[in-house]
Amino acid sequence: MPAQQKKLIFSAAAVLSLACALGTAAAVGTQLWVRGSVLCSTGALLVNASGPELRKFIGDIQYGLFSGQRVRQCGLGGRPFQFSFFPDLLRIIPASIHVSVILFCTVLIVFALVGAGFFMLNAFGSPYETLHGPAGLYLWSFISCSCGCLVMILFSSEVKIHHLSEKIANFKEGAFTFKTHSEQFANSFWTILVCSLVHFLNALLIRFAGFEFPFSKSKDSGTITGAVDLMY
């Protein structure tokens, strides 16, 4: 492939990696990871609410990795409540999983930036045959894509398996019990998915640029090398 086309491909990959790093950093700081609604089941049972009356007992909840907001509604009007995971909810959430999600998000940002730097180096510099060359580009893309997948898997298990929304809704609630009425992942979660797909796309761009997969050698080169060794 001509050098000019390789420069364009690697430049595009660098821009994509940089955009993923910035997008992930922005996603980590938002409260748009999960949106949903919670039902005040205690209040609804007390008045035997059904149909339109049931809406008076459905509150809203949204949260991210560090903070969020819930609207407590038990037939007496909505009462908003701001909360933070650290240190407010640290005792009731699966802390190890939550910290792991934040850690992998950080690793994703770092390696996306590293990958963007090496893509630029290969586009406008003289790539070396170590971590600056194709092996390094595959490595950074693979690590970033893997971290993005781990973030989605861990956070999904925290929300769905460990019932994170219900634990948050029932935080500091004595008389009333809340149940999850509906919940869905919001924009920040899907941003991580897009970033993971972009890093996978970068690996395809490396291959499209003409680089062989790391540590792969053709049979012809091995035969020629062996013949040269026999001469000496």
Side-chain angles (χ1 to χ4, degrees):
M1 179 176 289
Q4 190 65 27
Q5 294 185 20
K6 286 186 178 181
K7 287 184 178 180
L8 291 176
I9 291 175
F10 288 138
S11 298
V15 171
L16 291 174
S17 295
L18 182 59
C20 286
L22 297 177
T24 303
V28 169
T30 66
Q31 299 181 4
L32 301 177
W33 283 72
V34 174
R35 283 179 174 172
S37 58
V38 290
L39 172 65
C40 181
S41 58
T42 305
L45 289 174
L46 285 175
V47 299
N48 196 19
S50 61
E53 295 180 352
L54 195 61
R55 297 179 182 177
K56 298 180 181 180
F57 298 89
I58 297 178
D60 299 321
I61 187 171
Q62 70 173 26
Y63 54 89
L65 298 181
F66 294 97
S67 61
Q69 177 181 345
R70 75 181 187 194
V71 178
R72 178 181 182 275
Q73 189 159 324
C74 286
L76 301 174
R79 299 181 183 181
F81 174 74
Q82 298 282 344
F83 60 87
S84 59
F85 283 90
F86 305 99
D88 295 345
L89 303 176
L90 198 59
R91 292 178 289 106
I92 66 170
I93 65 172
S96 59
I97 298 179
H98 200 77
V99 172
S100 297
V101 171
I102 298 174
L103 177 62
F104 282 117
C105 283
T106 304
V107 175
L108 173 58
I109 295 171
V110 171
F111 277 94
L113 291 174
V114 171
F118 279 109
F119 275 119
M120 293 300 292
L121 180 63
N122 280 269
F124 299 102
S126 300
Y128 302 98
E129 291 302 326
T130 56
L131 294 182
H132 294 253
L137 297 181
Y138 283 119
L139 178 63
W140 313 133
S141 300
F142 174 76
I143 293 176
S144 300
C145 183
S146 300
C147 287
C149 293
L150 286 173
V151 167
M152 291 186 295
I153 292 172
L154 291 174
F155 189 75
S156 299
S157 67
E158 186 179 8
V159 174
K160 299 298 183 179
I161 298 177
H162 294 275
H163 307 290
L164 184 60
S165 299
E166 282 191 9
K167 291 181 179 179
I168 294 174
N170 289 285
F171 177 62
K172 290 185 177 180
E173 289 290 343
F176 296 95
T177 301
F178 290 85
K179 298 292 184 181
T180 302
H181 186 261
S182 66
E183 65 180 356
Q184 58 274 342
F185 295 109
N187 298 340
S188 295
F189 179 85
W190 300 119
T191 298
I192 302 297
L193 173 61
V194 172
C195 290
S196 301
L197 295 177
V198 166
H199 289 298
F200 180 76
L201 175 63
N202 282 346
L204 297 180
L205 288 178
I206 299 168
R207 185 66 185 88
F208 183 72
F211 278 165
E212 297 292 339
F213 284 100
F215 313 116
S216 64
K217 295 182 179 180
S218 62
K219 295 181 180 180
D220 295 338
S221 63
T223 305
I224 295 173
T225 304
V228 172
D229 292 339
L230 290 175
M231 291 177 64
Y232 294 92

